Amino acid sequence: MNKRVGKQTIETPSKPRIIATASIVGPKEGEGPLKDYFDIILEDDLNGKDTYEKAESSMMYTAVNEVIKKANFKEENIDYLLAGDLLNQLTSACFAAKDMDIPFIGLFGACSTMTESLAMGSLMIDGGYANHVIAATSSHFSSAERQFRFPLEYGSQRPPTAQWTVTGSGAMLLGREGNFPYISYVTMGKVKDYGVNDVNNMGEAMAPAAVDTIAQHLRDTGRTPDYYDIIATGDLGKVGKRITKELLLEHGFELKDNYIDCGDEIFEHERQKTNSGGSGCGCSAVVDCGYIYKNMLNGKFKRVLLVSTGALLSSTSCFQGLNIPGIAHAVAVEI
Amino acid sequence: MNKRVGKQTIETPSKPRIIATASIVGPKEGEGPLKDYFDIILEDDLNGKDTYEKAESSMMYTAVNEVIKKANFKEENIDYLLAGDLLNQLTSACFAAKDMDIPFIGLFGACSTMTESLAMGSLMIDGGYANHVIAATSSHFSSAERQFRFPLEYGSQRPPTAQWTVTGSGAMLLGREGNFPYISYVTMGKVKDYGVNDVNNMGEAMAPAAVDTIAQHLRDTGRTPDYYDIIATGDLGKVGKRITKELLLEHGFELKDNYIDCGDEIFEHERQKTNSGGSGCGCSAVVDCGYIYKNMLNGKFKRVLLVSTGALLSSTSCFQGLNIPGIAHAVAVEI
């Protein structure tokens, strides 16, 4: 059976369900406008650990265990964990998986990892390869800042286009049963390089990938933007969101008020000094698992398009003068 | 349709085929015992680039293009590229994908990435989600050495248990057509931590994961080790290979002469001073794509079990005193 739709989109006719989600965030995210939607808000962003990397990994471990608990499952009911993060060699995901007795499929799409893992997980359910899987990702402001930018002790100034890496982890448990939000289509994205090389302007670097994936998804499915109650890009921030709207117009698609960006929503930028907005794998993860999923359960949103967006850079690639390509994967969720 | 077999294994009843493979290696690998099986042997391990990281990425780009050419395809015939590597944030794979017009699914399993990408790719073919995909990975001695260990200029001494990262990239093109070797089963592995923390002894760190995955695969499928003409672990080297044989005996499985390790085979260790053997994502990639695949095509091997093995460490996790967990994914290929 061929489940391909158009050029780049996959249909999942068995409708893999998102049975439960869990989200955990740091103190700053817990003071933001979406605070009521998160399951766990940490008082200490070290989460009792002695390093930020261990703290991030412990957050993912907690999110995965929390989603298992919410669904009244046990670890042994989960066939696969599909997870990844921003740290070198997926330190956060690998060390979270180490303490679980669940087969592990490591994924990397930078901050697009929430929809990458959700997409691949839903294919494993739809194809009959698994009964239950968990898709998860995480990021941490302090582990990302010192890995990609500067030692925290410098107290570097941040330009207006800079974003604030979200401290958080989100996990989604997928299966076939129940009347839960389900995945109808998946559109895996291409790597797009429009020549941006400013590490303090990730929104501009990622916007072309978001545009390409959203436009392709709409062309492949024959849907228009207003089909969706919400189209949510991952972490383009205010700058990238504006570019995305402009570029999509050139493709003939007008995004209206149903278009949000998770990085724009998660902080109150003036008060919280988050400049262009939130970023990091954890950004779309906790907004999708918290705000969007819970509003699907209560009937406010019925059809959403999740489009997590990733900036594909390493400190090595930047030092060597390479640009920052972007990628975006889209997953349509409906109820 | 449920395609799960036993606890951890997946059957692929539509038999996704490996239509073609391509391998590219550096000069040292091109002087090793398997040199006649590689498609391209570089004379210069910088491949005309100005950094080792760019050289590694260019090798993956070449391997992917070569496999497309060998199958008489064009880029537009490939639905997805599933790829990953050892470099921080998959620098090699992301920048190779940037120059292709193919949707990209980034994977990370350290040196287990060849079978991780082959496994996930075969599910995409089997499930009807794709008509053709490419699974690829790469590693480079000099990019790995300076990222994980010491600056090359130090000329560090290497203990007998140390391994030599293979400079190479392998790509497999999967589809449904033709009388080619096909995938029958996939067993995705768990992360195993047996307390090893010596970065110069990866074989010991990864062996428990190889043992766990091989034993689980055999239990799930009801096969015995002698079902296979070849069982090939990825890069355990001489040290890890010996441990794997010993530990599997405790599970009741005796591996005989049909058991090889790609890292053990690729170099002539005394002459080439490669100590315990080859390692890196590229190690099992080029041995699987070269030596094993070509010997399946000529009828020497009919049933093989590929078990690439990964050590899940980052320099950060090591500096922070964490152990080195391992992971292994198994793919059964038959003709």
Side-chain angles (χ1 to χ4, degrees), chain A residues 1-46:
Chain A
M1 182 182 176
N2 194 326
K3 296 174 180 173
R4 295 183 59 72
V5 177
K7 279 176 108 170
Q8 215 167 312
T9 298
I10 293 168
E11 192 179 357
T12 48
S14 75
K15 299 183 177 171
R17 266 76 166 175
I18 304 175
I19 293 177
T21 65
S23 58
I24 174 171
V25 297
K28 187 180 181 91
E29 292 72 18
E31 291 167 2
L34 303 184
K35 63 180 188 290
D36 295 338
Y37 293 97
F38 303 128
D39 298 313
I40 301 170
I41 296 173
L42 296 178
E43 286 179 27
D44 162 22
D45 73 350
L46 271 167

mmCIF file of all heavy atoms in Angstrom, chain A residues 1-46:
data_model
loop_
_atom_site.group_PDB
_atom_site.id
_atom_site.type_symbol
_atom_site.label_atom_id
_atom_site.label_comp_id
_atom_site.label_asym_id
_atom_site.label_seq_id
_atom_site.Cartn_x
_atom_site.Cartn_y
_atom_site.Cartn_z
ATOM 1 N N MET A 1 0.838 -1.198 0.000
ATOM 2 C CA MET A 1 0.000 0.000 0.000
ATOM 3 C C MET A 1 0.872 1.246 0.000
ATOM 4 O O MET A 1 1.738 1.421 0.855
ATOM 5 C CB MET A 1 -0.883 0.010 1.261
ATOM 6 C CG MET A 1 -1.831 1.183 1.336
ATOM 7 S SD MET A 1 -2.768 1.127 2.874
ATOM 8 C CE MET A 1 -3.678 2.663 2.752
ATOM 9 N N ASN A 2 0.663 2.086 -0.969
ATOM 10 C CA ASN A 2 1.452 3.306 -1.046
ATOM 11 C C ASN A 2 0.765 4.421 -0.256
ATOM 12 O O ASN A 2 -0.381 4.766 -0.515
ATOM 13 C CB ASN A 2 1.628 3.715 -2.503
ATOM 14 C CG ASN A 2 2.716 4.762 -2.653
ATOM 15 O OD1 ASN A 2 2.890 5.610 -1.774
ATOM 16 N ND2 ASN A 2 3.449 4.713 -3.749
ATOM 17 N N LYS A 3 1.465 4.962 0.714
ATOM 18 C CA LYS A 3 0.886 5.984 1.575
ATOM 19 C C LYS A 3 1.475 7.354 1.297
ATOM 20 O O LYS A 3 1.381 8.254 2.114
ATOM 21 C CB LYS A 3 1.081 5.579 3.030
ATOM 22 C CG LYS A 3 0.335 4.289 3.374
ATOM 23 C CD LYS A 3 0.635 3.807 4.765
ATOM 24 C CE LYS A 3 -0.123 2.527 5.076
ATOM 25 N NZ LYS A 3 0.272 1.957 6.370
ATOM 26 N N ARG A 4 2.109 7.496 0.146
ATOM 27 C CA ARG A 4 2.695 8.781 -0.206
ATOM 28 C C ARG A 4 1.632 9.689 -0.827
ATOM 29 O O ARG A 4 0.814 9.254 -1.629
ATOM 30 C CB ARG A 4 3.852 8.580 -1.174
ATOM 31 C CG ARG A 4 5.010 7.816 -0.544
ATOM 32 C CD ARG A 4 6.172 7.673 -1.472
ATOM 33 N NE ARG A 4 6.688 8.970 -1.893
ATOM 34 C CZ ARG A 4 7.367 9.807 -1.124
ATOM 35 N NH1 ARG A 4 7.628 9.464 0.129
ATOM 36 N NH2 ARG A 4 7.798 10.947 -1.576
ATOM 37 N N VAL A 5 1.687 10.942 -0.449
ATOM 38 C CA VAL A 5 0.722 11.919 -0.948
ATOM 39 C C VAL A 5 1.519 13.081 -1.519
ATOM 40 O O VAL A 5 2.294 13.717 -0.795
ATOM 41 C CB VAL A 5 -0.184 12.427 0.199
ATOM 42 C CG1 VAL A 5 -1.127 13.501 -0.300
ATOM 43 C CG2 VAL A 5 -0.943 11.275 0.823
ATOM 44 N N GLY A 6 1.360 13.354 -2.801
ATOM 45 C CA GLY A 6 2.132 14.438 -3.409
ATOM 46 C C GLY A 6 3.608 14.096 -3.405
ATOM 47 O O GLY A 6 3.992 12.939 -3.467
ATOM 48 N N LYS A 7 4.432 15.120 -3.297
ATOM 49 C CA LYS A 7 5.869 14.907 -3.449
ATOM 50 C C LYS A 7 6.570 14.489 -2.172
ATOM 51 O O LYS A 7 7.583 13.807 -2.189
ATOM 52 C CB LYS A 7 6.525 16.218 -3.933
ATOM 53 C CG LYS A 7 6.397 16.437 -5.434
ATOM 54 C CD LYS A 7 6.971 17.780 -5.815
ATOM 55 C CE LYS A 7 8.295 17.620 -6.571
ATOM 56 N NZ LYS A 7 8.731 18.904 -7.160
ATOM 57 N N GLN A 8 6.066 14.943 -1.032
ATOM 58 C CA GLN A 8 6.908 14.846 0.152
ATOM 59 C C GLN A 8 6.130 14.466 1.408
ATOM 60 O O GLN A 8 6.664 14.472 2.503
ATOM 61 C CB GLN A 8 7.555 16.231 0.341
ATOM 62 C CG GLN A 8 8.941 16.264 0.878
ATOM 63 C CD GLN A 8 9.526 17.661 0.701
ATOM 64 O OE1 GLN A 8 9.442 18.251 -0.377
ATOM 65 N NE2 GLN A 8 10.084 18.213 1.752
ATOM 66 N N THR A 9 4.852 14.163 1.230
ATOM 67 C CA THR A 9 3.984 13.961 2.387
ATOM 68 C C THR A 9 3.549 12.501 2.490
ATOM 69 O O THR A 9 3.434 11.809 1.486
ATOM 70 C CB THR A 9 2.777 14.925 2.297
ATOM 71 O OG1 THR A 9 3.287 16.254 2.339
ATOM 72 C CG2 THR A 9 1.794 14.718 3.439
ATOM 73 N N ILE A 10 3.329 12.059 3.718
ATOM 74 C CA ILE A 10 2.929 10.683 4.004
ATOM 75 C C ILE A 10 1.592 10.718 4.725
ATOM 76 O O ILE A 10 1.415 11.496 5.669
ATOM 77 C CB ILE A 10 3.984 10.003 4.909
ATOM 78 C CG1 ILE A 10 5.308 9.827 4.146
ATOM 79 C CG2 ILE A 10 3.474 8.669 5.433
ATOM 80 C CD1 ILE A 10 6.465 9.429 5.035
ATOM 81 N N GLU A 11 0.681 9.873 4.294
ATOM 82 C CA GLU A 11 -0.591 9.741 5.005
ATOM 83 C C GLU A 11 -0.455 8.609 6.019
ATOM 84 O O GLU A 11 0.217 7.610 5.760
ATOM 85 C CB GLU A 11 -1.694 9.411 4.006
ATOM 86 C CG GLU A 11 -3.078 9.546 4.605
ATOM 87 C CD GLU A 11 -4.198 9.245 3.615
ATOM 88 O OE1 GLU A 11 -3.895 8.985 2.428
ATOM 89 O OE2 GLU A 11 -5.361 9.245 4.051
ATOM 90 N N THR A 12 -1.081 8.755 7.164
ATOM 91 C CA THR A 12 -1.085 7.686 8.168
ATOM 92 C C THR A 12 -2.540 7.272 8.393
ATOM 93 O O THR A 12 -3.190 7.722 9.346
ATOM 94 C CB THR A 12 -0.444 8.179 9.486
ATOM 95 O OG1 THR A 12 -1.016 9.443 9.827
ATOM 96 C CG2 THR A 12 1.050 8.345 9.344
ATOM 97 N N PRO A 13 -3.047 6.404 7.501
ATOM 98 C CA PRO A 13 -4.494 6.102 7.488
ATOM 99 C C PRO A 13 -5.006 5.440 8.769
ATOM 100 O O PRO A 13 -6.189 5.548 9.069
ATOM 101 C CB PRO A 13 -4.646 5.162 6.283
ATOM 102 C CG PRO A 13 -3.278 4.693 5.937
ATOM 103 C CD PRO A 13 -2.321 5.710 6.423
ATOM 104 N N SER A 14 -4.135 4.784 9.511
ATOM 105 C CA SER A 14 -4.612 4.136 10.745
ATOM 106 C C SER A 14 -4.739 5.130 11.894
ATOM 107 O O SER A 14 -5.134 4.768 12.995
ATOM 108 C CB SER A 14 -3.676 2.998 11.138
ATOM 109 O OG SER A 14 -2.492 3.530 11.690
ATOM 110 N N LYS A 15 -4.403 6.405 11.641
ATOM 111 C CA LYS A 15 -4.570 7.470 12.635
ATOM 112 C C LYS A 15 -3.892 7.191 13.981
ATOM 113 O O LYS A 15 -4.581 7.020 15.012
ATOM 114 C CB LYS A 15 -6.062 7.750 12.865
ATOM 115 C CG LYS A 15 -6.760 8.204 11.595
ATOM 116 C CD LYS A 15 -8.215 8.549 11.863
ATOM 117 C CE LYS A 15 -8.862 9.063 10.585
ATOM 118 N NZ LYS A 15 -10.312 9.232 10.696
ATOM 119 N N PRO A 16 -2.583 7.154 14.002
ATOM 120 C CA PRO A 16 -1.873 6.986 15.286
ATOM 121 C C PRO A 16 -2.288 8.091 16.258
ATOM 122 O O PRO A 16 -2.339 9.263 15.885
ATOM 123 C CB PRO A 16 -0.398 7.138 14.894
ATOM 124 C CG PRO A 16 -0.334 6.889 13.434
ATOM 125 C CD PRO A 16 -1.652 7.315 12.873
ATOM 126 N N ARG A 17 -2.610 7.671 17.464
ATOM 127 C CA ARG A 17 -3.101 8.645 18.468
ATOM 128 C C ARG A 17 -1.986 9.159 19.378
ATOM 129 O O ARG A 17 -1.101 8.385 19.743
ATOM 130 C CB ARG A 17 -4.120 7.963 19.382
ATOM 131 C CG ARG A 17 -5.541 8.122 18.972
ATOM 132 C CD ARG A 17 -5.879 7.240 17.831
ATOM 133 N NE ARG A 17 -7.338 7.150 17.637
ATOM 134 C CZ ARG A 17 -7.888 6.520 16.639
ATOM 135 N NH1 ARG A 17 -7.150 5.915 15.714
ATOM 136 N NH2 ARG A 17 -9.204 6.474 16.516
ATOM 137 N N ILE A 18 -2.113 10.407 19.788
ATOM 138 C CA ILE A 18 -1.268 10.905 20.879
ATOM 139 C C ILE A 18 -2.070 10.683 22.161
ATOM 140 O O ILE A 18 -2.962 11.453 22.509
ATOM 141 C CB ILE A 18 -0.919 12.399 20.712
ATOM 142 C CG1 ILE A 18 -0.256 12.636 19.344
ATOM 143 C CG2 ILE A 18 0.018 12.854 21.830
ATOM 144 C CD1 ILE A 18 0.026 14.114 19.031
ATOM 145 N N ILE A 19 -1.747 9.583 22.853
ATOM 146 C CA ILE A 19 -2.547 9.150 24.002
ATOM 147 C C ILE A 19 -2.340 10.061 25.207
ATOM 148 O O ILE A 19 -3.249 10.311 26.002
ATOM 149 C CB ILE A 19 -2.174 7.698 24.358
ATOM 150 C CG1 ILE A 19 -2.614 6.772 23.217
ATOM 151 C CG2 ILE A 19 -2.770 7.273 25.678
ATOM 152 C CD1 ILE A 19 -2.228 5.325 23.430
ATOM 153 N N ALA A 20 -1.116 10.548 25.364
ATOM 154 C CA ALA A 20 -0.822 11.428 26.497
ATOM 155 C C ALA A 20 0.427 12.233 26.163
ATOM 156 O O ALA A 20 1.216 11.852 25.291
ATOM 157 C CB ALA A 20 -0.591 10.621 27.776
ATOM 158 N N THR A 21 0.584 13.360 26.849
ATOM 159 C CA THR A 21 1.818 14.149 26.727
ATOM 160 C C THR A 21 2.273 14.539 28.134
ATOM 161 O O THR A 21 1.474 14.523 29.089
ATOM 162 C CB THR A 21 1.599 15.455 25.935
ATOM 163 O OG1 THR A 21 0.709 16.296 26.682
ATOM 164 C CG2 THR A 21 1.026 15.195 24.554
ATOM 165 N N ALA A 22 3.538 14.871 28.244
ATOM 166 C CA ALA A 22 4.040 15.423 29.511
ATOM 167 C C ALA A 22 5.015 16.536 29.183
ATOM 168 O O ALA A 22 5.753 16.463 28.196
ATOM 169 C CB ALA A 22 4.726 14.343 30.335
ATOM 170 N N SER A 23 5.004 17.569 30.015
ATOM 171 C CA SER A 23 5.938 18.670 29.821
ATOM 172 C C SER A 23 6.536 19.082 31.156
ATOM 173 O O SER A 23 5.867 19.067 32.190
ATOM 174 C CB SER A 23 5.221 19.865 29.174
ATOM 175 O OG SER A 23 4.140 20.283 29.977
ATOM 176 N N ILE A 24 7.810 19.428 31.104
ATOM 177 C CA ILE A 24 8.506 19.906 32.300
ATOM 178 C C ILE A 24 9.334 21.107 31.872
ATOM 179 O O ILE A 24 9.953 21.076 30.802
ATOM 180 C CB ILE A 24 9.376 18.781 32.919
ATOM 181 C CG1 ILE A 24 10.221 19.295 34.077
ATOM 182 C CG2 ILE A 24 10.250 18.097 31.889
ATOM 183 C CD1 ILE A 24 10.922 18.162 34.841
ATOM 184 N N VAL A 25 9.296 22.175 32.651
ATOM 185 C CA VAL A 25 10.026 23.391 32.262
ATOM 186 C C VAL A 25 10.802 23.962 33.442
ATOM 187 O O VAL A 25 10.601 23.578 34.598
ATOM 188 C CB VAL A 25 9.072 24.500 31.724
ATOM 189 C CG1 VAL A 25 8.358 24.054 30.461
ATOM 190 C CG2 VAL A 25 8.072 24.913 32.799
ATOM 191 N N GLY A 26 11.686 24.893 33.130
ATOM 192 C CA GLY A 26 12.458 25.586 34.155
ATOM 193 C C GLY A 26 11.678 26.743 34.759
ATOM 194 O O GLY A 26 10.554 27.037 34.349
ATOM 195 N N PRO A 27 12.291 27.426 35.740
ATOM 196 C CA PRO A 27 11.586 28.502 36.461
ATOM 197 C C PRO A 27 11.174 29.659 35.548
ATOM 198 O O PRO A 27 10.074 30.203 35.705
ATOM 199 C CB PRO A 27 12.627 28.978 37.484
ATOM 200 C CG PRO A 27 13.626 27.872 37.587
ATOM 201 C CD PRO A 27 13.628 27.154 36.279
ATOM 202 N N LYS A 28 12.018 30.038 34.589
ATOM 203 C CA LYS A 28 11.700 31.185 33.726
ATOM 204 C C LYS A 28 10.481 30.881 32.851
ATOM 205 O O LYS A 28 9.596 31.734 32.705
ATOM 206 C CB LYS A 28 12.913 31.520 32.851
ATOM 207 C CG LYS A 28 12.777 32.796 32.026
ATOM 208 C CD LYS A 28 14.044 33.013 31.208
ATOM 209 C CE LYS A 28 13.972 34.285 30.399
ATOM 210 N NZ LYS A 28 14.530 35.450 31.129
ATOM 211 N N GLU A 29 10.454 29.670 32.280
ATOM 212 C CA GLU A 29 9.311 29.276 31.455
ATOM 213 C C GLU A 29 8.056 29.187 32.330
ATOM 214 O O GLU A 29 6.939 29.411 31.857
ATOM 215 C CB GLU A 29 9.577 27.926 30.787
ATOM 216 C CG GLU A 29 10.681 27.950 29.733
ATOM 217 C CD GLU A 29 12.087 28.099 30.309
ATOM 218 O OE1 GLU A 29 12.263 27.834 31.528
ATOM 219 O OE2 GLU A 29 12.991 28.490 29.563
ATOM 220 N N GLY A 30 8.257 28.835 33.593
ATOM 221 C CA GLY A 30 7.159 28.715 34.541
ATOM 222 C C GLY A 30 6.601 30.059 34.986
ATOM 223 O O GLY A 30 5.610 30.122 35.715
ATOM 224 N N GLU A 31 7.271 31.146 34.556
ATOM 225 C CA GLU A 31 6.748 32.493 34.836
ATOM 226 C C GLU A 31 6.188 33.134 33.570
ATOM 227 O O GLU A 31 5.822 34.308 33.565
ATOM 228 C CB GLU A 31 7.869 33.381 35.396
ATOM 229 C CG GLU A 31 8.297 32.960 36.796
ATOM 230 C CD GLU A 31 9.610 33.640 37.220
ATOM 231 O OE1 GLU A 31 10.147 34.454 36.440
ATOM 232 O OE2 GLU A 31 10.073 33.322 38.325
ATOM 233 N N GLY A 32 6.175 32.381 32.490
ATOM 234 C CA GLY A 32 5.720 32.921 31.213
ATOM 235 C C GLY A 32 4.222 32.761 31.027
ATOM 236 O O GLY A 32 3.531 32.181 31.871
ATOM 237 N N PRO A 33 3.713 33.261 29.898
ATOM 238 C CA PRO A 33 2.257 33.280 29.663
ATOM 239 C C PRO A 33 1.616 31.887 29.548
ATOM 240 O O PRO A 33 0.398 31.778 29.680
ATOM 241 C CB PRO A 33 2.111 34.063 28.360
ATOM 242 C CG PRO A 33 3.471 34.166 27.765
ATOM 243 C CD PRO A 33 4.462 33.980 28.850
ATOM 244 N N LEU A 34 2.404 30.839 29.291
ATOM 245 C CA LEU A 34 1.812 29.501 29.130
ATOM 246 C C LEU A 34 1.977 28.637 30.382
ATOM 247 O O LEU A 34 1.788 27.417 30.332
ATOM 248 C CB LEU A 34 2.446 28.790 27.917
ATOM 249 C CG LEU A 34 2.348 29.507 26.566
ATOM 250 C CD1 LEU A 34 2.938 28.647 25.458
ATOM 251 C CD2 LEU A 34 0.908 29.887 26.235
ATOM 252 N N LYS A 35 2.322 29.276 31.501
ATOM 253 C CA LYS A 35 2.695 28.516 32.694
ATOM 254 C C LYS A 35 1.632 27.522 33.157
ATOM 255 O O LYS A 35 1.950 26.455 33.679
ATOM 256 C CB LYS A 35 3.083 29.451 33.837
ATOM 257 C CG LYS A 35 1.972 30.373 34.339
ATOM 258 C CD LYS A 35 2.528 31.240 35.473
ATOM 259 C CE LYS A 35 1.448 32.057 36.154
ATOM 260 N NZ LYS A 35 0.947 33.150 35.252
ATOM 261 N N ASP A 36 0.374 27.836 32.927
ATOM 262 C CA ASP A 36 -0.695 26.952 33.423
ATOM 263 C C ASP A 36 -0.820 25.657 32.632
ATOM 264 O O ASP A 36 -1.531 24.745 33.044
ATOM 265 C CB ASP A 36 -2.043 27.688 33.390
ATOM 266 C CG ASP A 36 -2.051 28.854 34.362
ATOM 267 O OD1 ASP A 36 -1.240 28.833 35.320
ATOM 268 O OD2 ASP A 36 -2.841 29.800 34.152
ATOM 269 N N TYR A 37 -0.137 25.592 31.500
ATOM 270 C CA TYR A 37 -0.268 24.411 30.650
ATOM 271 C C TYR A 37 0.826 23.371 30.903
ATOM 272 O O TYR A 37 0.771 22.283 30.354
ATOM 273 C CB TYR A 37 -0.239 24.808 29.170
ATOM 274 C CG TYR A 37 -1.448 25.610 28.750
ATOM 275 C CD1 TYR A 37 -1.405 26.990 28.686
ATOM 276 C CD2 TYR A 37 -2.641 24.962 28.432
ATOM 277 C CE1 TYR A 37 -2.518 27.726 28.298
ATOM 278 C CE2 TYR A 37 -3.764 25.684 28.045
ATOM 279 C CZ TYR A 37 -3.691 27.066 27.974
ATOM 280 O OH TYR A 37 -4.786 27.779 27.590
ATOM 281 N N PHE A 38 1.847 23.719 31.675
ATOM 282 C CA PHE A 38 2.946 22.779 31.881
ATOM 283 C C PHE A 38 2.663 21.872 33.072
ATOM 284 O O PHE A 38 2.088 22.288 34.072
ATOM 285 C CB PHE A 38 4.267 23.533 32.093
ATOM 286 C CG PHE A 38 4.607 24.450 30.947
ATOM 287 C CD1 PHE A 38 4.921 25.792 31.177
ATOM 288 C CD2 PHE A 38 4.600 23.982 29.635
ATOM 289 C CE1 PHE A 38 5.219 26.646 30.112
ATOM 290 C CE2 PHE A 38 4.892 24.828 28.566
ATOM 291 C CZ PHE A 38 5.192 26.160 28.809
ATOM 292 N N ASP A 39 3.104 20.600 32.971
ATOM 293 C CA ASP A 39 2.827 19.643 34.053
ATOM 294 C C ASP A 39 3.733 19.848 35.252
ATOM 295 O O ASP A 39 3.310 19.721 36.385
ATOM 296 C CB ASP A 39 2.997 18.223 33.516
ATOM 297 C CG ASP A 39 2.016 17.908 32.407
ATOM 298 O OD1 ASP A 39 0.827 18.214 32.614
ATOM 299 O OD2 ASP A 39 2.422 17.384 31.352
ATOM 300 N N ILE A 40 5.000 20.116 34.991
ATOM 301 C CA ILE A 40 5.964 20.270 36.083
ATOM 302 C C ILE A 40 6.779 21.535 35.830
ATOM 303 O O ILE A 40 7.320 21.736 34.745
ATOM 304 C CB ILE A 40 6.924 19.051 36.152
ATOM 305 C CG1 ILE A 40 6.135 17.755 36.362
ATOM 306 C CG2 ILE A 40 7.968 19.241 37.256
ATOM 307 C CD1 ILE A 40 6.968 16.484 36.200
ATOM 308 N N ILE A 41 6.845 22.395 36.857
ATOM 309 C CA ILE A 41 7.690 23.591 36.770
ATOM 310 C C ILE A 41 8.768 23.472 37.838
ATOM 311 O O ILE A 41 8.463 23.371 39.035
ATOM 312 C CB ILE A 41 6.855 24.875 36.975
ATOM 313 C CG1 ILE A 41 5.818 25.023 35.837
ATOM 314 C CG2 ILE A 41 7.761 26.103 37.026
ATOM 315 C CD1 ILE A 41 4.827 26.169 36.028
ATOM 316 N N LEU A 42 10.033 23.423 37.399
ATOM 317 C CA LEU A 42 11.137 23.279 38.346
ATOM 318 C C LEU A 42 11.394 24.594 39.071
ATOM 319 O O LEU A 42 11.300 25.668 38.478
ATOM 320 C CB LEU A 42 12.412 22.861 37.612
ATOM 321 C CG LEU A 42 12.396 21.500 36.921
ATOM 322 C CD1 LEU A 42 13.735 21.267 36.205
ATOM 323 C CD2 LEU A 42 12.142 20.385 37.922
ATOM 324 N N GLU A 43 11.748 24.494 40.348
ATOM 325 C CA GLU A 43 12.151 25.697 41.078
ATOM 326 C C GLU A 43 13.624 25.988 40.865
ATOM 327 O O GLU A 43 14.096 27.107 41.039
ATOM 328 C CB GLU A 43 11.883 25.496 42.575
ATOM 329 C CG GLU A 43 10.401 25.576 42.905
ATOM 330 C CD GLU A 43 10.148 25.345 44.380
ATOM 331 O OE1 GLU A 43 11.042 25.628 45.194
ATOM 332 O OE2 GLU A 43 9.044 24.863 44.708
ATOM 333 N N ASP A 44 14.366 24.949 40.520
ATOM 334 C CA ASP A 44 15.821 25.035 40.378
ATOM 335 C C ASP A 44 16.182 24.456 39.021
ATOM 336 O O ASP A 44 15.895 23.290 38.752
ATOM 337 C CB ASP A 44 16.449 24.217 41.515
ATOM 338 C CG ASP A 44 17.898 23.859 41.233
ATOM 339 O OD1 ASP A 44 18.532 24.552 40.429
ATOM 340 O OD2 ASP A 44 18.375 22.871 41.825
ATOM 341 N N ASP A 45 16.778 25.276 38.151
ATOM 342 C CA ASP A 45 17.026 24.763 36.802
ATOM 343 C C ASP A 45 18.170 23.759 36.757
ATOM 344 O O ASP A 45 18.490 23.231 35.695
ATOM 345 C CB ASP A 45 17.190 25.893 35.776
ATOM 346 C CG ASP A 45 18.508 26.617 35.900
ATOM 347 O OD1 ASP A 45 19.229 26.390 36.902
ATOM 348 O OD2 ASP A 45 18.835 27.410 34.999
ATOM 349 N N LEU A 46 18.818 23.470 37.887
ATOM 350 C CA LEU A 46 19.783 22.370 37.935
ATOM 351 C C LEU A 46 19.085 21.061 38.325
ATOM 352 O O LEU A 46 19.698 19.996 38.268
ATOM 353 C CB LEU A 46 20.909 22.678 38.939
ATOM 354 C CG LEU A 46 22.103 23.439 38.363
ATOM 355 C CD1 LEU A 46 22.990 23.967 39.487
ATOM 356 C CD2 LEU A 46 22.926 22.568 37.421
#
